Amino acid sequence: MKPEPFIPEPLPPSDIDWISHIPLIGAANAALARFDGLLQSIQNPDLLLTPLITQEAVISSRIEGT
């Protein structure tokens, strides 16, 4: 017997309580704005970004199993 393929629900989910997420979205937006301001105020922002990009690549490789 052939297994049935997994078909996820359509996005976005219809049951999201957007009102409860608004404060979280606002806080995340403010944090990103502060980070962006920090990056613009230093001479070489790649010094901060390169380790994060490398870490993300390592984690992605672990997820993919390579």
Side-chain angles (χ1 to χ4, degrees), residues 10-28:
L11 294 176
S14 59
D15 60 346
I16 293 178
D17 180 15
W18 291 105
I19 299 300
S20 67
H21 284 79
I22 289 174
L24 301 172
I25 293 169

Side-chain angles (χ1 to χ4, degrees), residues 34-62:
R34 285 191 304 272
F35 185 62
D36 184 53
L38 171 71
L39 290 178
Q40 290 181 14
S41 67
I42 62 174
Q43 290 182 356
N44 189 358
D46 290 336
L47 290 176
L48 290 177
L49 291 177
T50 301
L52 296 174
I53 293 169
T54 303
Q55 182 181 17
E56 190 278 332
V58 169
I59 292 170
S60 295
S61 295
R62 286 183 191 157

